[in-house]
Amino acid sequence: MAQSNVAGWTGAGDSGSQPVSPRPLIESDRVEGTAVFGADNSHIGTIKRLMIDKVSGQVAYAVMSFGGFLGLGEDTFTIPWSKLDYEPDLGGYKTDIAPESVKAAPDFYREGDYQWNDREHERRLHDYYGVSPYWGI
């Protein structure tokens, strides 16, 4: 998947150059709770929170919730932001990651208060998903 703009198209997607959204910015609380769809357009989860690099301001990860009911019994999984593309027709984000792959990903956020300072752990997550780390190499 292409590096995605939070609320619009970047023109870097697989389908070629696309127009920039008339509203290129969005509030983070509006992204939280947004649906995530799989390659077949089926709903696979919801964005629970965004993890933003303090220095660059770049969104690094989406922490997604799967399953559960009213927040009970849900699982949370962290995926690199670059694996999501906003799809206006769906009103949510789309990924090429299969739900089974997300659930088999390296454990990253599930403890709740994960210390986000372990670059090697982050690198394993990026390697698993086959994307370059947001901070470069």
Side-chain angles (χ1 to χ4, degrees):
M1 309 265 1
Q3 181 72 25
S4 176
N5 180 323
V6 171
W9 303 292
T10 62
D14 294 335
S15 61
S17 182
Q18 297 176 341
V20 175
S21 170
R23 300 183 71 191
L25 300 176
I26 190 169
E27 299 89 351
S28 62
D29 61 339
R30 291 190 55 162
V31 176
E32 295 168 1
T34 300
V36 176
F37 299 91
D40 63 355
N41 294 342
S42 64
H43 180 267
I44 62 171
T46 303
I47 295 177
K48 185 171 183 170
R49 71 178 35 95
L50 302 177
M51 300 307 296
I52 302 169
D53 182 272
K54 287 181 183 181
V55 176
S56 71
Q58 177 182 354
V59 176
Y61 303 105
V63 177
M64 295 176 47
S65 61
F66 292 85
F69 181 71
L70 299 175
L72 300 173
E74 70 183 15
D75 289 320
T76 55
F77 300 91
T78 301
I79 64 168
W81 184 248
S82 61
K83 294 299 289 182
L84 297 171
D85 284 312
Y86 185 70
E87 292 288 337
D89 292 341
L90 294 173
Y93 293 87
K94 191 168 181 176
T95 186
D96 62 354
I97 305 170
E100 300 78 30
S101 295
V102 173
K103 292 176 182 176
D107 190 13
F108 203 80
Y109 185 78
R110 296 176 211 159
E111 294 88 33
D113 280 336
Y114 180 79
Q115 299 299 313
W116 294 89
N117 59 356
D118 184 348
R119 283 285 198 233
E120 186 54 37
H121 196 71
E122 287 184 84
R123 191 178 316 281
R124 284 193 302 273
L125 186 71
H126 286 269
D127 288 349
Y128 177 82
Y129 285 117
V131 295
S132 297
Y134 69 91
W135 66 88
I137 293 181

